[in-house]
């Protein structure tokens, strides 16, 4: 009898202690206290180039306006920028160091959300047209049989035109290759980040490494659904504004969006438009275009924050 009582007391004490420990733990907050805004590229890395602007410039301008708008509406949210001027994040000397700095800054500041702003680009289209023939002499044959002949040589006119690709794309980290296939991105269709970070030496997570596997599982359980939710709000908003819809939220797990998998929090990468499309380049550089983009980002942030606070998106979903 006494032993049973002692056992029960020890058990209940353990339960109480455990519950305290649980409360003390860093349980994911059901709100956003710290937001990381990451203007892509910068300094030595201009990113994609348009006729008169670079991805780094546009991303910075929109990021700063977005931050100001958040500050105004949500004064309690602490905003951390990965850069506020045209430098590589953290004043680093290489793109890889810059990416690591971005991820380390986000992780060490215990941020609740990471939003990267980028621009897209697609290569010029090449054209050629036969304009006529020119008579010329060419050598044919080998050795002693080598002789000169007169030949008609076709003449071509070559020119390029800007790629008409336009619109927005919002990316989230695909937890595994199967997920990436659900909404796979055709590499020939996607240019921006592959071009600009293609030379990265940063490692992608190796699912056979137990530590990486554990981290990917945490991401899948805690951040994937939230990232998807926010990305979907952003894309739907852009669509409602009449921006070209390129198929909704996209999942990738290549090096181009390395920073998304390196941050231990919900994270999205927004491609706000194509600098390679002349009309869209003008729009994303204009005050009215940037205000519209910022308005959509703020709307998505507000809706996402409300969902978190009302617990309509949680860790288990
Ligand atoms: Zn970029």
């Amino acid at each position: 009898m006494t032993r049973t009582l002692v056992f029960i007391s020890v058990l209940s004490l353990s339960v109480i202690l455990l519950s305290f420990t649980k409360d003390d733990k860093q349980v994911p907050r059901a709100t956003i206290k710290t937001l990381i805004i990451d203007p892509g590229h910068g300094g030595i890395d201009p990113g994609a180039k348009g006729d008169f602007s670079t991805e780094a410039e546009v991303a910075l301008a929109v990021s700063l306006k977005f931050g100001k708008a958040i500050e105004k509406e949500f004064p309690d949210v602490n905003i951390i920028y990965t850069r506020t001027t045209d430098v590589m994040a953290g004043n680093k000397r290489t793109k890889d160091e810059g990416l690591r700095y971005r991820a380390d800054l986000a992780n060490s500041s215990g941020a609740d959300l990471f939003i990267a702003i980028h621009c897209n680009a697609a290569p010029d289209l090449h054209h050629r047209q036969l304009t006529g023939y020119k008579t010329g002499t060419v050598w044919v044959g080998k050795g002693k049989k080598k002789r000169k002949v007169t030949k008609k040589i076709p003449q071509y006119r070559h020119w390029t035109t800007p790629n008409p690709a336009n619109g927005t794309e919002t990316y989230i980290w695909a937890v595994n290759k199967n997920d990436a296939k659900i909404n796979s991105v055709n590499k020939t269709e996607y240019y921006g980040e592959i071009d600009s970070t293609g030379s990265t030496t940063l490692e992608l997570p190796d699912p056979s490494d137990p530590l990486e596997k554990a981290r990917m599982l945490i991401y899948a359980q805690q951040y994937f659904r939230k990232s998807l939710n926010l990305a979907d709000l952003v894309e739907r908003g852009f669509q409602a504004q009449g921006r070209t819809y390129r198929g909704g939220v996209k999942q990738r797990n290549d090096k181009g969006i390395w920073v998304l998998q390196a941050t231990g929090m919900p994270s999205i990468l927004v491609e706000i438009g194509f600098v390679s499309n002349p009309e869209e380049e003008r729009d994303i550089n204009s005050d009215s275009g940037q205000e519209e983009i910022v308005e959509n980002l703020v709307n998505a942030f507000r809706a996402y924050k409300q969902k978190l606070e009302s617990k309509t998106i949680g860790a288990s979903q």
Side-chain angles (χ1 to χ4, degrees):
M1 183 69 187
T2 326
R3 279 177 67 166
T4 317
L5 266 177
V6 169
F7 178 70
I8 290 171
S9 319
V10 169
L11 190 73
S12 40
L13 188 68
S14 316
V15 169
I16 292 165
L17 281 175
L18 273 174
S19 64
F20 271 115
T21 323
K22 204 184 168 205
D23 282 347
D24 286 345
K25 259 195 202 163
Q26 276 271 312
V27 175
R29 280 186 290 249
T31 188
I32 301 162
K33 286 194 176 164
T34 302
L35 165 68
I36 303 277
I37 300 177
D38 176 32
H41 312 275
I44 51 153
D45 173 22
K49 285 176 190 162
D51 281 341
F52 64 89
S53 64
T54 66
E55 178 182 2
E57 283 166 17
V58 180
L60 180 62
V62 170
S63 294
L64 294 176
K65 286 182 179 177
F66 173 49
K68 277 213 178 81
I70 291 287
E71 208 176 298
K72 200 174 160 195
E73 187 174 333
F74 307 95
D76 294 341
V77 173
N78 173 31
I79 299 164
I80 299 173
Y81 298 92
T82 57
R83 65 182 182 97
T84 53
T85 55
D86 184 22
V87 293
M88 174 49 68
N91 270 310
K92 300 293 179 188
R93 277 175 303 172
T94 69
K95 284 191 265 185
D96 285 1
E97 282 175 22
L99 282 174
R100 279 200 193 284
Y101 170 83
R102 289 168 149 104
D104 289 347
L105 176 68
N107 292 330
S108 65
S109 58
D112 308 290
L113 182 62
F114 182 96
I115 300 180
I117 309 281
H118 286 245
C119 304
N120 236 325
D124 282 350
L125 301 178
H126 290 264
H127 311 270
R128 93 174 180 172
Q129 185 189 32
L130 184 68
T131 53
Y133 293 89
K134 204 173 91 181
T135 311
T137 46
V138 286
W139 288 94
V140 292
K142 277 180 187 170
K144 283 183 181 173
K145 287 181 179 172
K146 204 172 175 185
R147 61 197 166 89
K148 251 186 190 177
V149 292
T150 315
K151 212 182 162 187
K152 277 184 175 175
I153 302 159
Q155 300 296 300
Y156 295 101
R157 181 168 79 90
H158 294 266
W159 75 101
T160 59
T161 53
N163 194 309
N166 68 344
T168 67
E169 285 176 334
T170 303
Y171 286 89
I172 58 171
W173 174 250
V175 179
N176 60 48
K177 289 231 157 57
N178 292 335
D179 285 341
K181 275 178 195 150
I182 296 169
N183 193 349
S184 66
V185 184
N186 185 341
K187 292 248 165 154
T188 58
E189 226 180 62
Y190 188 78
Y191 316 96
E193 302 319 311
I194 288 169
D195 279 353
S196 49
T197 53
S199 60
T200 182
T201 56
L202 294 167
E203 291 294 323
L204 287 171
D206 171 11
S208 60
D209 173 353
L211 268 178
E212 284 298 348
K213 204 173 173 182
R215 210 162 60 87
M216 286 163 88
L217 192 68
I218 292 171
Y219 179 88
Q221 288 173 339
Q222 301 198 358
Y223 312 134
F224 180 80
R225 183 60 56 179
K226 288 176 183 168
S227 305
L228 178 61
N229 221 286
L230 175 63
D232 189 51
L233 286 164
V234 170
E235 277 300 292
R236 278 173 201 270
F238 280 141
Q239 199 185 0
Q241 288 179 337
R243 291 178 186 273
T244 301
Y245 191 64
R246 298 180 61 83
V249 177
K250 289 176 178 165
Q251 297 182 45
R252 278 172 56 193
N253 56 10
D254 56 52
K255 288 180 175 181
I257 56 166
W258 179 88
V259 74
L260 292 187
Q261 61 87 19
T263 45
M265 66 208 65
S267 52
I268 65 169
L269 186 150
V270 187
E271 302 269 6
I272 58 168
F274 282 74
V275 278
S276 51
N277 178 302
E279 205 185 317
E280 201 155 76
E281 185 185 15
R282 279 195 297 276
D283 176 65
I284 60 179
N285 273 279
S286 70
D287 281 340
S288 59
Q290 292 185 352
E291 275 158 26
E292 210 179 87
I293 290 162
V294 164
E295 194 189 347
N296 178 43
L297 293 174
V298 173
N299 288 344
F301 177 87
R302 184 190 308 113
Y304 172 75
K305 192 169 177 285
Q306 281 168 0
K307 280 186 178 194
L308 277 185
E309 286 163 3
S310 64
K311 297 204 165 60
T312 43
I313 34 168
S316 58
Q317 278 179 300

